[in-house]
């Protein structure tokens, strides 16, 4: 038997095993959420994670690998610089992005912080889409969040009052604009397991979504939504230019606006943007991709909120475009 045929047979066996596991998983009761017990050999004399984090934040931080890497980390006890996570890239698995977001929030969220960072990368518009990708991703889709989950999180954060009140909520978006059959075909062509083809070839598109709560004196709050979307030619590796990919991205963003309109009816929307000076850690011998660039912006904003634009002039100077008032499309249009 030739090597390529043997590889295909092995890939088939692996995919079959995954399918069997999926079928078994579907018959079992939901797994219990991971606990917050200190990893073996780790000592911590203070409560962790800090009580200022929401139950959803804690559930994400408590994931086994994340907890093991970050146990005890907070704004008074940061990691050594050499141990701090690099920016995730467009081929990294979701737990890599989760680890980065959790680390950044743990070290930069102070007791009176007015900004909340959503700790799971958002890749899907709805839960059904996440389920559809479950097998293709080798079960990794469950570590991504949906747009609706981010919106629910943001609404809950904005409802906090007093010292706990929040003015800004940010999230990392990492959707991809590939079809499932493309990944399956690539796996068959290369003779490897389907999840490997997803991880290495289904590049994630990095964007940052920020919702700002604006309250005028004696008025109900209104909202400003900013979508940081790095693109060519500013960032050479930020956008996949293959046929059909841009159209899928535009459709995804349009549906994102629909969800945001339903959740917040924002009075002001901005899209685009650029970073003036790159200080990203070099993890690969390639230009920064859109996920890395976006994480750089999120980190800079968490460290110093004053670096983010607040006026129309600042947004325009930073490469953003102001969008008109959202008009909901009628069926058939």
């Amino acid at each position: 038997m030739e090597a390529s045929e043997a590889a295909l047979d092995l890939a088939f066996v692996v995919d079959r095993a995954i399918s069997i596991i999926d079928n078994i998983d579907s018959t079992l009761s939901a797994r219990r959420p991971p606990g917050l017990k200190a990893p073996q050999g780790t000592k911590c004399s203070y409560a962790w994670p800090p009580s200022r984090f929401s139950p959803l934040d804690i559930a994400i931080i408590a994931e086994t690998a994340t907890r093991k890497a970050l146990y005890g980390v907070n704004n008074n006890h940061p990691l050594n610089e050499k141990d701090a996570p690099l920016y995730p890239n467009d081929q990294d698995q979701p737990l890599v992005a989760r680890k980065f977001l959790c680390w950044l929030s743990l070290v930069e969220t102070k007791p009176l912080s007015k900004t909340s960072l959503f700790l799971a990368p958002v890749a899907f518009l709805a839960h059904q889409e996440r389920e559809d990708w479950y097998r293709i991703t080798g079960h990794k889709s469950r570590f991504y969040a949906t747009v609706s989950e981010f919106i629910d999180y943001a609404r809950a954060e904005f409802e906090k009052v007093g010292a706990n009140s929040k003015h800004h909520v940010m999230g990392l978006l990492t959707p991809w604009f590939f079809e499932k059959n493309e990944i399956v075909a690539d796996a068959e062509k290369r003779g490897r397991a389907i999840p490997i083809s997803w991880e290495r070839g289904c590049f994630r598109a990095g964007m940052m979504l920020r919702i700002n709560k604006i309250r005028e004196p004696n008025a109900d709050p209104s909202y400003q939504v900013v979508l940081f979307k790095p693109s060519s030619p500013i960032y050479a590796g930020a956008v996949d230019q293959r046929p059909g990919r841009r159209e899928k991205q535009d459709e995804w963003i349009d549906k994102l606006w629909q969800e945001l309109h339903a959740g917040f009816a924002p009075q002001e929307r901005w899209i685009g943007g650029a970073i003036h000076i790159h200080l990203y850690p070099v993890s690969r011998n390639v230009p920064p991709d859109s996920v890395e660039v976006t994480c750089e912006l999120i980190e800079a904003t968490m460290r110093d909120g004053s670096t983010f634009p607040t006026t129309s002039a600042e947004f325009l100077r930073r490469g953003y475009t102001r969008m008109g008032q959202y008009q909901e499309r009628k069926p058939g249009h």
Side-chain angles (χ1 to χ4, degrees), residues 101-132:
L101 294 170
C102 289
W103 162 78
L104 182 60
S105 188
L106 284 166
V107 299
E108 295 300 333
T109 302
K110 312 298 191 301
L112 300 179
S113 291
K114 297 304 178 185
T115 299
S116 291
L117 178 62
F118 191 55
L119 301 185
V122 177
F124 304 110
L125 293 164
H127 176 64
Q128 183 59 55
E129 186 181 5
R130 177 167 53 196
E131 285 191 333
D132 292 343

Side-chain angles (χ1 to χ4, degrees), residues 254 257-259 261-262 266 269 323-329:
D254 185 62
W257 289 129
Q258 292 179 33
E259 294 287 337
H261 177 74
R269 299 184 299 157
M323 303 184 70
Q325 193 70 23
Y326 179 81
Q327 298 294 329
E328 189 170 4
R329 292 186 179 182

Side-chain angles (χ1 to χ4, degrees), residues 140-152:
K140 298 299 189 301
S141 69
R142 71 186 189 273
F143 294 122
Y144 288 107
T146 66
V147 169
S148 58
E149 288 167 346
F150 173 82
I151 289 175
D152 288 344

Side-chain angles (χ1 to χ4, degrees), residues 83-103:
D83 296 324
L86 296 175
Y87 299 142
N89 61 59
D90 60 7
Q91 291 178 295
D92 275 330
Q93 295 188 15
L95 283 180
V96 176
R98 279 188 173 207
K99 177 183 175 182
F100 170 79
L101 294 170
C102 289
W103 162 78

Side-chain angles (χ1 to χ4, degrees), residues 263-313:
F264 292 96
Q267 293 187 348
E268 189 175 321
R269 299 184 299 157
W270 294 88
I271 189 171
I275 297 176
H276 288 310
I277 302 174
H278 288 293
L279 300 174
Y280 52 86
V282 178
S283 59
R284 300 177 299 165
N285 191 28
V286 295
D289 60 53
S290 60
V291 176
E292 291 173 310
V293 170
T294 300
C295 288
E296 180 184 357
L297 175 67
I298 291 174
E299 181 180 29
T301 304
M302 287 294 291
R303 292 190 183 282
D304 184 358
S306 67
T307 62
F308 198 80
T310 56
T311 67
S312 295

Side-chain angles (χ1 to χ4, degrees), residues 243-256:
R245 208 75 71 210
R246 178 64 66 85
E247 289 75 11
K248 294 180 186 298
Q249 176 182 261
D250 291 344
E251 181 182 359
W252 195 91
I253 291 175
D254 185 62
K255 291 179 179 178
L256 170 66

Side-chain angles (χ1 to χ4, degrees), residues 79-238:
L79 289 174
N80 294 326
E81 185 175 350
K82 65 180 180 62
D83 296 324
L86 296 175
Y87 299 142
N89 61 59
D90 60 7
Q91 291 178 295
D92 275 330
Q93 295 188 15
L95 283 180
V96 176
R98 279 188 173 207
K99 177 183 175 182
F100 170 79
L101 294 170
C102 289
W103 162 78
L104 182 60
S105 188
L106 284 166
V107 299
E108 295 300 333
T109 302
K110 312 298 191 301
L112 300 179
S113 291
K114 297 304 178 185
T115 299
S116 291
L117 178 62
F118 191 55
L119 301 185
V122 177
F124 304 110
L125 293 164
H127 176 64
Q128 183 59 55
E129 186 181 5
R130 177 167 53 196
E131 285 191 333
D132 292 343
W133 281 89
Y134 184 67
R135 297 185 183 185
I136 299 291
T137 62
H139 310 166
K140 298 299 189 301
S141 69
R142 71 186 189 273
F143 294 122
Y144 288 107
T146 66
V147 169
S148 58
E149 288 167 346
F150 173 82
I151 289 175
D152 288 344
Y153 174 84
R155 291 176 66 86
E157 291 298 291
F158 286 136
E159 288 174 358
K160 293 180 178 179
V161 297
N164 296 321
S165 63
K166 301 297 181 182
H167 297 166
H168 319 283
V169 177
M170 293 194 299
L172 170 66
L173 310 183
T174 58
W176 53 86
F177 309 113
F178 292 73
E179 297 293 342
K180 293 185 287 295
N181 58 5
E182 292 181 85
I183 308 306
V184 174
D186 181 77
E188 293 175 350
K189 177 181 178 181
R190 298 176 183 273
R192 63 190 184 191
I194 292 173
I196 299 300
S197 278
W198 167 77
E199 181 180 343
R200 297 180 182 177
C202 191
F203 299 100
R204 274 65 90 190
M207 294 176 277
M208 186 274 287
L209 181 61
R210 177 180 166 103
I211 304 176
N212 299 318
K213 181 179 180 181
I214 305 169
R215 185 187 294 275
E216 298 292 341
N218 303 317
D220 292 332
S222 59
Y223 299 93
Q224 176 195 66
V225 175
V226 182
L227 181 64
F228 174 74
K229 178 181 168 293
S231 60
S232 295
I234 302 173
Y235 308 110

